[in-house]
Amino acid sequence: RYCHILDPRTGYSPSHYSSVTTVAANCAEADAWSTALFICDLASVKDELKRRNIDWLIVTSDGRILKSAGIKVDLPARIDLTKKS
């Protein structure tokens, strides 16, 4: 399965996250950081996102939901990605 984002190190779509959302001051910054976060692992950019006041929400490939402290929505810890709607 492939998506429109490709990891320049491998040439393949990243497989560790199913979804990445960022909330930033403007849409261009949010788009750039969500793409970067999709390719990088969270630990490598977490401090920079916090410094820039960018919130994030990630669904991992196994359905875990991770979010920054600024995301105030109550979400389950995991979702079932095998269900088809």
Side-chain angles (χ1 to χ4, degrees):
R1 188 175 268 181
Y2 297 95
C3 73
H4 69 284
I5 299 171
L6 299 176
D7 185 333
R9 298 168 295 192
T10 65
Y12 291 99
S13 297
S15 59
H16 52 285
Y17 299 142
S18 292
S19 176
V20 173
T21 300
T22 56
V23 181
N26 61 66
C27 61
E29 187 175 24
D31 182 52
W33 278 103
S34 64
T35 301
L37 186 51
F38 221 116
I39 293 170
C40 301
D41 68 43
L42 177 59
S44 66
V45 295
K46 194 173 187 178
D47 290 339
E48 185 65 20
L49 292 170
K50 185 174 183 175
R51 188 179 74 72
R52 292 174 179 265
N53 199 29
I54 297 173
D55 287 307
W56 47 268
L57 186 139
I58 298 170
V59 179
T60 64
S61 59
D62 64 355
R64 290 177 296 126
I65 297 176
L66 312 171
K67 62 182 183 170
S68 65
I71 303 291
K72 303 296 184 191
V73 178
D74 282 331
L75 298 167
R78 180 180 295 276
I79 59 173
D80 185 355
L81 296 175
T82 63
K83 290 183 180 179
K84 296 187 179 192
S85 50

